[in-house]
Amino acid sequence: MSQPLNPRRAVYAGSFDPVSLGHLDIIARGARMFERLIVGIGMNPEKHPLFTPQERLELLQSVSHHWPNVEVACFEGLTVSFVRRCGAAVMLRGLRTLTDIESEFSMTLANRALAHDIETVFLMASEKYSHISSSLIKQVALLGTDTANEPLEAFVPHEVIGMLRRKFKRDQPA
Ligand code: ADP
Protein backbone atom coordinates (compact mmCIF):
# COMPACT_ATOMS: atom_id res chain seq x y z
CA MET A 1 0.00 0.00 0.00
CA SER A 2 1.30 3.48 -0.82
CA GLN A 3 2.01 6.11 1.85
CA PRO A 4 -0.79 8.61 2.63
CA LEU A 5 -0.15 11.93 0.90
CA ASN A 6 0.02 15.24 2.73
CA PRO A 7 -2.82 17.64 1.75
CA ARG A 8 -0.81 20.64 2.97
CA ARG A 9 2.01 19.86 0.57
CA ALA A 10 1.75 20.79 -3.14
CA VAL A 11 3.81 20.40 -6.28
CA TYR A 12 3.84 23.10 -8.95
CA ALA A 13 5.23 21.39 -12.05
CA GLY A 14 6.09 22.77 -15.45
CA SER A 15 8.86 23.36 -17.94
CA PHE A 16 9.84 26.82 -16.65
CA ASP A 17 11.85 27.50 -19.81
CA PRO A 18 12.47 30.12 -18.42
CA VAL A 19 10.63 31.04 -15.21
CA SER A 20 8.38 34.08 -15.80
CA LEU A 21 6.72 36.70 -13.58
CA GLY A 22 3.49 34.73 -14.11
CA HIS A 23 5.08 31.54 -12.73
CA LEU A 24 6.54 33.53 -9.83
CA ASP A 25 3.12 34.94 -8.98
CA ILE A 26 1.69 31.40 -8.77
CA ILE A 27 4.67 30.34 -6.59
CA ALA A 28 4.11 33.32 -4.23
CA ARG A 29 0.40 32.56 -3.89
CA GLY A 30 1.02 28.81 -3.54
CA ALA A 31 3.61 29.43 -0.81
CA ARG A 32 0.90 31.26 1.17
CA MET A 33 -1.61 28.44 0.71
CA PHE A 34 0.50 25.36 1.46
CA GLU A 35 2.92 24.42 4.24
CA ARG A 36 5.39 23.23 1.65
CA LEU A 37 5.51 23.92 -2.08
CA ILE A 38 7.80 21.94 -4.36
CA VAL A 39 8.45 23.47 -7.77
CA GLY A 40 9.10 20.56 -10.14
CA ILE A 41 10.98 21.10 -13.38
CA GLY A 42 9.78 18.40 -15.75
CA MET A 43 12.25 17.01 -18.25
CA ASN A 44 10.03 16.18 -21.20
CA PRO A 45 12.01 14.32 -23.92
CA GLU A 46 9.59 15.62 -26.59
CA LYS A 47 10.41 19.26 -25.86
CA HIS A 48 13.58 21.02 -26.90
CA PRO A 49 14.15 23.54 -24.13
CA LEU A 50 16.30 26.65 -24.45
CA PHE A 51 17.64 26.29 -20.90
CA THR A 52 19.22 23.13 -19.50
CA PRO A 53 17.56 21.53 -16.45
CA GLN A 54 20.49 22.77 -14.31
CA GLU A 55 20.06 26.36 -15.58
CA ARG A 56 16.31 26.28 -14.95
CA LEU A 57 16.93 24.85 -11.48
CA GLU A 58 19.44 27.58 -10.59
CA LEU A 59 17.20 30.35 -11.94
CA LEU A 60 14.17 29.07 -10.01
CA GLN A 61 16.23 28.67 -6.83
CA SER A 62 17.59 32.20 -7.08
CA VAL A 63 14.12 33.77 -7.59
CA SER A 64 12.38 31.73 -4.87
CA HIS A 65 15.03 31.51 -2.12
CA HIS A 66 13.25 34.00 0.17
CA TRP A 67 10.27 31.66 0.63
CA PRO A 68 11.45 29.18 3.29
CA ASN A 69 8.69 26.70 2.43
CA VAL A 70 9.48 26.57 -1.31
CA GLU A 71 11.96 24.13 -2.81
CA VAL A 72 12.90 23.35 -6.39
CA ALA A 73 13.73 20.00 -7.99
CA CYS A 74 14.03 18.45 -11.45
CA PHE A 75 12.19 15.28 -12.32
CA GLU A 76 11.84 12.76 -15.12
CA GLY A 77 8.80 10.66 -15.90
CA LEU A 78 5.18 11.21 -15.03
CA THR A 79 4.32 14.28 -12.98
CA VAL A 80 1.96 12.28 -10.72
CA SER A 81 4.83 9.90 -9.87
CA PHE A 82 6.98 12.87 -8.87
CA VAL A 83 4.11 14.33 -6.81
CA ARG A 84 3.76 10.99 -5.01
CA ARG A 85 7.52 10.78 -4.36
CA CYS A 86 7.25 14.26 -2.78
CA GLY A 87 4.48 12.99 -0.50
CA ALA A 88 2.18 15.75 -1.80
CA ALA A 89 -1.58 15.33 -2.23
CA VAL A 90 -1.94 18.42 -4.42
CA MET A 91 -0.77 19.48 -7.88
CA LEU A 92 -0.88 23.24 -8.32
CA ARG A 93 -1.47 24.69 -11.79
CA GLY A 94 -1.96 28.18 -13.20
CA LEU A 95 -4.76 29.04 -15.64
CA ARG A 96 -4.41 31.86 -18.13
CA THR A 97 -6.86 31.48 -20.98
CA LEU A 98 -9.79 29.42 -22.22
CA THR A 99 -7.27 27.36 -24.20
CA ASP A 100 -5.44 26.60 -20.95
CA ILE A 101 -8.71 25.43 -19.39
CA GLU A 102 -9.34 22.98 -22.22
CA SER A 103 -5.91 21.36 -22.10
CA GLU A 104 -5.68 21.46 -18.29
CA PHE A 105 -9.11 19.79 -18.05
CA SER A 106 -8.03 16.73 -20.04
CA MET A 107 -4.66 16.64 -18.28
CA THR A 108 -6.43 16.69 -14.91
CA LEU A 109 -8.73 13.82 -15.90
CA ALA A 110 -5.75 11.79 -17.12
CA ASN A 111 -3.84 12.49 -13.91
CA ARG A 112 -6.88 11.52 -11.83
CA ALA A 113 -7.08 8.21 -13.68
CA LEU A 114 -3.41 7.64 -12.88
CA ALA A 115 -3.58 8.82 -9.26
CA HIS A 116 -7.03 9.22 -7.70
CA ASP A 117 -5.55 10.43 -4.38
CA ILE A 118 -3.87 13.48 -5.96
CA GLU A 119 -6.02 16.58 -6.49
CA THR A 120 -5.25 19.35 -8.97
CA VAL A 121 -5.80 22.88 -7.67
CA PHE A 122 -5.95 25.78 -10.14
CA LEU A 123 -5.10 29.40 -9.52
CA MET A 124 -6.34 31.97 -12.01
CA ALA A 125 -3.45 33.95 -13.44
CA SER A 126 -3.25 37.50 -12.14
CA GLU A 127 -4.59 39.98 -14.67
CA LYS A 128 -1.22 41.65 -15.24
CA TYR A 129 0.53 38.33 -16.00
CA SER A 130 -2.13 36.39 -17.86
CA HIS A 131 -0.60 37.13 -21.29
CA ILE A 132 2.88 35.85 -20.35
CA SER A 133 4.15 32.54 -21.65
CA SER A 134 7.66 31.13 -21.93
CA SER A 135 7.38 31.06 -25.74
CA LEU A 136 6.41 34.75 -25.85
CA ILE A 137 9.45 35.53 -23.67
CA LYS A 138 11.77 33.71 -26.07
CA GLN A 139 10.29 35.60 -29.03
CA VAL A 140 10.77 38.95 -27.29
CA ALA A 141 14.35 38.01 -26.35
CA LEU A 142 15.09 37.11 -29.94
CA LEU A 143 13.36 40.01 -31.68
CA GLY A 144 13.12 42.84 -29.15
CA THR A 145 16.57 44.22 -29.68
CA ASP A 146 15.75 47.71 -30.97
CA THR A 147 13.78 49.19 -28.06
CA ALA A 148 15.13 51.85 -25.70
CA ASN A 149 13.93 50.09 -22.53
CA GLU A 150 14.59 46.48 -21.64
CA PRO A 151 11.40 44.80 -22.94
CA LEU A 152 12.02 41.61 -20.98
CA GLU A 153 11.53 43.43 -17.67
CA ALA A 154 7.76 43.18 -18.11
CA PHE A 155 7.90 39.40 -18.40
CA VAL A 156 10.69 37.83 -16.36
CA PRO A 157 12.50 38.35 -13.04
CA HIS A 158 15.79 40.29 -13.29
CA GLU A 159 17.90 37.17 -12.75
CA VAL A 160 16.55 35.71 -16.00
CA ILE A 161 17.30 38.69 -18.26
CA GLY A 162 21.09 38.21 -18.29
CA MET A 163 20.76 34.50 -18.99
CA LEU A 164 18.34 35.17 -21.85
CA ARG A 165 20.63 37.80 -23.33
CA ARG A 166 23.52 35.38 -23.25
CA LYS A 167 21.44 32.65 -24.89
CA PHE A 168 20.57 34.97 -27.76
CA LYS A 169 24.00 36.66 -27.67
CA ARG A 170 22.29 40.06 -27.46
CA ASP A 171 25.00 41.55 -25.26
CA GLN A 172 27.82 40.80 -27.65
CA PRO A 173 29.16 43.60 -29.86
CA ALA A 174 28.34 43.21 -33.57
P1 ADP B 1 4.09 23.47 -19.29
O1 ADP B 1 5.23 23.16 -20.19
O2 ADP B 1 3.60 22.33 -18.43
O3 ADP B 1 2.98 24.27 -19.92
P2 ADP B 1 4.88 25.90 -18.03
O4 ADP B 1 6.15 26.12 -17.32
O5 ADP B 1 4.63 26.67 -19.25
O6 ADP B 1 4.76 24.36 -18.22
O7 ADP B 1 3.68 26.16 -17.02
C1 ADP B 1 3.59 25.54 -15.78
C2 ADP B 1 2.29 25.96 -15.14
O8 ADP B 1 2.30 27.37 -14.95
C3 ADP B 1 1.04 25.66 -15.96
O9 ADP B 1 -0.01 25.34 -15.07
C4 ADP B 1 0.75 26.97 -16.65
O10 ADP B 1 -0.63 27.12 -16.95
C5 ADP B 1 1.17 27.95 -15.55
N1 ADP B 1 1.54 29.25 -16.10
C6 ADP B 1 2.38 29.50 -17.11
N2 ADP B 1 2.48 30.84 -17.34
C7 ADP B 1 1.64 31.43 -16.43
C8 ADP B 1 1.26 32.80 -16.17
N3 ADP B 1 1.73 33.79 -16.92
N4 ADP B 1 0.39 33.03 -15.17
C9 ADP B 1 -0.12 32.00 -14.45
N5 ADP B 1 0.18 30.70 -14.65
C10 ADP B 1 1.05 30.42 -15.63
Side-chain angles (χ1 to χ4, degrees):
M1 218 176 90
S2 54
Q3 292 277 92
L5 302 174
N6 187 338
R8 290 177 299 276
R9 191 179 293 181
V11 168
Y12 178 41
S15 310
F16 305 105
D17 186 42
V19 56
S20 71
L21 292 177
H23 292 134
L24 210 54
D25 183 56
I26 298 290
I27 294 172
R29 292 159 63 194
R32 285 198 295 270
M33 291 169 65
F34 297 98
E35 265 175 24
R36 193 163 155 215
L37 180 68
I38 300 118
V39 182
I41 303 167
M43 289 180 275
N44 183 343
E46 282 171 16
K47 288 191 177 173
H48 301 284
L50 176 66
F51 291 93
T52 66
Q54 186 59 29
E55 286 170 332
R56 285 180 273 158
L57 182 83
E58 284 170 17
L59 281 174
L60 268 160
Q61 281 171 335
S62 75
V63 298
S64 65
H65 68 94
H66 54 279
W67 288 295
N69 61 335
V70 174
E71 63 189 89
V72 189
C74 293
F75 70 94
E76 278 175 310
L78 288 175
T79 305
V80 284
S81 308
F82 174 68
V83 177
R84 191 176 296 288
R85 286 200 297 283
C86 291
V90 177
M91 277 178 67
L92 185 66
R93 303 286 294 171
L95 279 180
R96 287 161 293 186
T97 57
L98 281 178
T99 327
D100 267 1
I101 293 179
E102 217 170 277
S103 58
E104 294 287 342
F105 185 62
S106 29
M107 180 86 77
T108 300
L109 293 182
N111 284 332
R112 189 171 298 159
L114 293 166
H116 61 87
D117 50 349
I118 296 174
E119 282 293 348
T120 306
V121 168
F122 295 100
L123 289 181
M124 286 291 288
S126 298
E127 215 177 342
K128 59 182 175 177
Y129 302 131
S130 63
H131 59 292
I132 302 178
S133 66
S134 296
S135 50
L136 170 80
I137 289 164
K138 285 178 263 193
Q139 250 183 325
V140 172
L142 180 67
L143 304 172
T145 53
D146 53 356
T147 51
N149 299 323
E150 174 50 75
L152 289 166
E153 260 173 19
F155 306 119
V156 292
H158 269 275
E159 291 86 340
V160 178
I161 296 177
M163 285 279 272
L164 267 170
R165 284 216 199 95
R166 281 192 289 282
K167 286 280 175 195
F168 291 102
K169 298 203 177 8
R170 280 190 45 198
D171 52 353
Q172 297 207 343

Coordinates of all heavy atoms in Angstrom, one line a residue, residues 75-108:
F75 N 12.7 16.7 -12.3 CA 12.2 15.3 -12.3 C 12.0 14.8 -13.7 O 11.8 15.5 -14.7 CB 10.9 15.1 -11.5 CG 9.7 15.8 -12.2 CD1 8.8 15.0 -13.0 CD2 9.4 17.1 -12.0 CE1 7.7 15.6 -13.6 CE2 8.3 17.7 -12.7 CZ 7.4 16.9 -13.5
E76 N 12.1 13.4 -13.8 CA 11.8 12.8 -15.1 C 10.6 11.9 -14.9 O 10.3 11.5 -13.8 CB 13.0 11.9 -15.5 CG 14.1 12.7 -16.2 CD 15.4 11.8 -16.4 OE1 15.8 11.2 -15.5 OE2 15.9 11.9 -17.6
G77 N 10.0 11.6 -16.0 CA 8.8 10.7 -15.9 C 7.5 11.4 -15.6 O 7.4 12.6 -15.8
L78 N 6.5 10.6 -15.2 CA 5.2 11.2 -15.0 C 5.2 12.2 -13.9 O 5.8 11.9 -12.8 CB 4.2 10.1 -14.7 CG 3.8 9.2 -15.9 CD1 2.9 8.0 -15.3 CD2 3.1 9.9 -17.0
T79 N 4.4 13.3 -14.1 CA 4.3 14.3 -13.0 C 3.7 13.7 -11.7 O 4.1 13.9 -10.6 CB 3.5 15.5 -13.5 OG1 4.1 16.0 -14.7 CG2 3.5 16.6 -12.4
V80 N 2.6 12.9 -11.9 CA 2.0 12.3 -10.7 C 2.9 11.4 -9.9 O 2.8 11.3 -8.7 CB 0.7 11.5 -11.1 CG1 -0.5 12.4 -11.4 CG2 0.9 10.5 -12.2
S81 N 3.9 10.7 -10.6 CA 4.8 9.9 -9.9 C 5.7 10.8 -9.0 O 6.1 10.4 -7.9 CB 5.7 9.1 -10.8 OG 4.9 8.4 -11.7
F82 N 6.1 11.9 -9.6 CA 7.0 12.9 -8.9 C 6.2 13.4 -7.7 O 6.7 13.5 -6.6 CB 7.4 14.0 -9.8 CG 8.2 15.1 -9.1 CD1 9.5 14.8 -8.6 CD2 7.7 16.4 -9.0 CE1 10.2 15.9 -7.9 CE2 8.3 17.4 -8.3 CZ 9.6 17.1 -7.8
V83 N 4.9 13.8 -7.9 CA 4.1 14.3 -6.8 C 4.0 13.3 -5.7 O 4.2 13.6 -4.5 CB 2.7 14.7 -7.3 CG1 1.8 15.2 -6.2 CG2 2.8 15.7 -8.4
R84 N 3.8 12.1 -6.0 CA 3.8 11.0 -5.0 C 5.1 10.9 -4.3 O 5.1 10.8 -3.0 CB 3.4 9.7 -5.7 CG 3.0 8.6 -4.7 CD 2.5 7.3 -5.4 NE 1.3 7.5 -6.1 CZ 0.1 7.7 -5.5 NH1 0.0 7.7 -4.2 NH2 -1.0 7.8 -6.3
R85 N 6.2 10.9 -5.0 CA 7.5 10.8 -4.4 C 7.7 11.9 -3.4 O 8.4 11.8 -2.4 CB 8.7 10.8 -5.4 CG 8.8 9.5 -6.2 CD 10.2 9.4 -6.8 NE 10.5 10.4 -7.8 CZ 10.1 10.4 -9.0 NH1 9.3 9.5 -9.5 NH2 10.4 11.4 -9.9
C86 N 7.1 13.1 -3.7 CA 7.3 14.3 -2.8 C 6.3 14.1 -1.6 O 6.4 14.9 -0.7 CB 6.9 15.6 -3.5 SG 8.1 16.0 -4.8
G87 N 5.4 13.2 -1.6 CA 4.5 13.0 -0.5 C 3.4 14.0 -0.5 O 2.7 14.3 0.5
A88 N 3.2 14.7 -1.7 CA 2.2 15.8 -1.8 C 0.8 15.2 -2.3 O 0.8 14.3 -3.2 CB 2.7 16.8 -2.7
A89 N -0.3 15.8 -1.8 CA -1.6 15.3 -2.2 C -2.1 16.3 -3.3 O -3.2 16.1 -3.8 CB -2.5 15.2 -1.0
V90 N -1.4 17.4 -3.6 CA -1.9 18.4 -4.4 C -1.0 18.8 -5.5 O 0.2 18.9 -5.3 CB -2.2 19.7 -3.6 CG1 -2.7 20.8 -4.5 CG2 -3.3 19.4 -2.5
M91 N -1.5 18.9 -6.7 CA -0.8 19.5 -7.9 C -1.3 20.9 -8.1 O -2.5 21.0 -8.3 CB -1.0 18.7 -9.2 CG -0.2 17.4 -9.3 SD -0.6 16.6 -10.8 CE -0.1 17.7 -12.0
L92 N -0.4 21.9 -8.1 CA -0.9 23.2 -8.3 C -0.6 23.6 -9.8 O 0.4 23.3 -10.3 CB -0.1 24.1 -7.4 CG -0.4 25.6 -7.3 CD1 -1.8 25.8 -6.8 CD2 0.6 26.4 -6.5
R93 N -1.6 24.3 -10.4 CA -1.5 24.7 -11.8 C -2.0 26.1 -11.9 O -2.8 26.6 -11.1 CB -2.3 23.8 -12.8 CG -2.0 22.4 -12.7 CD -0.7 22.0 -13.4 NE -0.7 22.2 -14.8 CZ 0.4 22.1 -15.6 NH1 1.6 21.8 -15.0 NH2 0.4 22.4 -16.9
G94 N -1.5 26.8 -12.9 CA -2.0 28.2 -13.2 C -2.8 28.1 -14.4 O -2.6 27.3 -15.3
L95 N -3.9 29.0 -14.5 CA -4.8 29.0 -15.6 C -4.7 30.4 -16.2 O -5.0 31.4 -15.5 CB -6.2 28.7 -15.2 CG -6.6 27.3 -15.0 CD1 -8.1 27.3 -14.6 CD2 -6.4 26.5 -16.3
R96 N -4.4 30.5 -17.5 CA -4.4 31.9 -18.1 C -5.6 32.1 -19.0 O -6.3 33.1 -18.9 CB -3.1 32.0 -19.0 CG -1.9 32.2 -18.2 CD -0.7 31.9 -19.0 NE -0.6 30.5 -19.4 CZ 0.4 29.9 -20.0 NH1 1.4 30.6 -20.4 NH2 0.3 28.6 -20.3
T97 N -5.9 31.2 -19.9 CA -6.9 31.5 -21.0 C -7.8 30.3 -21.1 O -7.7 29.3 -20.5 CB -6.1 31.6 -22.3 OG1 -5.4 30.3 -22.5 CG2 -5.2 32.7 -22.4
L98 N -8.8 30.5 -22.0 CA -9.8 29.4 -22.2 C -9.1 28.2 -22.8 O -9.4 27.1 -22.5 CB -10.9 29.9 -23.2 CG -12.0 30.7 -22.6 CD1 -12.9 31.2 -23.6 CD2 -12.7 30.0 -21.5
T99 N -8.1 28.5 -23.6 CA -7.3 27.4 -24.2 C -6.6 26.6 -23.1 O -6.5 25.3 -23.2 CB -6.2 27.9 -25.2 OG1 -6.7 29.1 -25.8 CG2 -5.8 26.9 -26.2
D100 N -6.1 27.3 -22.1 CA -5.4 26.6 -21.0 C -6.5 25.7 -20.3 O -6.2 24.5 -19.9 CB -5.0 27.6 -19.9 CG -3.5 28.0 -20.1 OD1 -2.9 27.5 -21.0 OD2 -3.0 28.8 -19.2
I101 N -7.7 26.2 -20.1 CA -8.7 25.4 -19.4 C -9.0 24.1 -20.1 O -9.0 23.1 -19.5 CB -10.0 26.2 -19.2 CG1 -9.8 27.4 -18.3 CG2 -11.2 25.4 -18.7 CD1 -11.0 28.3 -18.1
E102 N -9.0 24.2 -21.4 CA -9.3 23.0 -22.2 C -8.2 21.9 -22.0 O -8.5 20.8 -21.7 CB -9.5 23.4 -23.7 CG -10.5 22.6 -24.4 CD -10.7 23.2 -25.8 OE1 -11.5 24.2 -25.9 OE2 -10.1 22.7 -26.7
S103 N -7.0 22.4 -22.2 CA -5.9 21.4 -22.1 C -5.7 20.9 -20.7 O -5.4 19.7 -20.4 CB -4.6 21.9 -22.7 OG -4.3 23.1 -22.0
E104 N -5.9 21.8 -19.7 CA -5.7 21.5 -18.3 C -6.8 20.5 -17.8 O -6.6 19.6 -17.0 CB -5.7 22.7 -17.4 CG -4.5 23.6 -17.6 CD -3.2 23.1 -17.0 OE1 -3.2 22.2 -16.2 OE2 -2.1 23.6 -17.5
F105 N -8.0 20.7 -18.4 CA -9.1 19.8 -18.0 C -8.8 18.3 -18.4 O -8.9 17.4 -17.6 CB -10.4 20.3 -18.7 CG -11.6 19.5 -18.3 CD1 -12.1 19.6 -17.0 CD2 -12.4 18.8 -19.2 CE1 -13.2 18.9 -16.6 CE2 -13.5 18.1 -18.9 CZ -13.9 18.2 -17.5
S106 N -8.3 18.1 -19.7 CA -8.0 16.7 -20.0 C -6.8 16.2 -19.3 O -6.8 15.0 -18.9 CB -7.9 16.6 -21.6 OG -7.4 17.7 -22.1
M107 N -5.8 17.1 -19.0 CA -4.7 16.6 -18.3 C -5.1 16.2 -16.9 O -4.6 15.2 -16.3 CB -3.7 17.8 -18.2 CG -2.4 17.6 -17.5 SD -1.2 16.9 -18.5 CE -0.7 18.3 -19.4
T108 N -6.0 17.0 -16.3 CA -6.4 16.7 -14.9 C -7.2 15.3 -14.9 O -6.9 14.5 -14.0 CB -7.4 17.8 -14.4 OG1 -6.6 19.0 -14.4 CG2 -7.8 17.6 -13.0

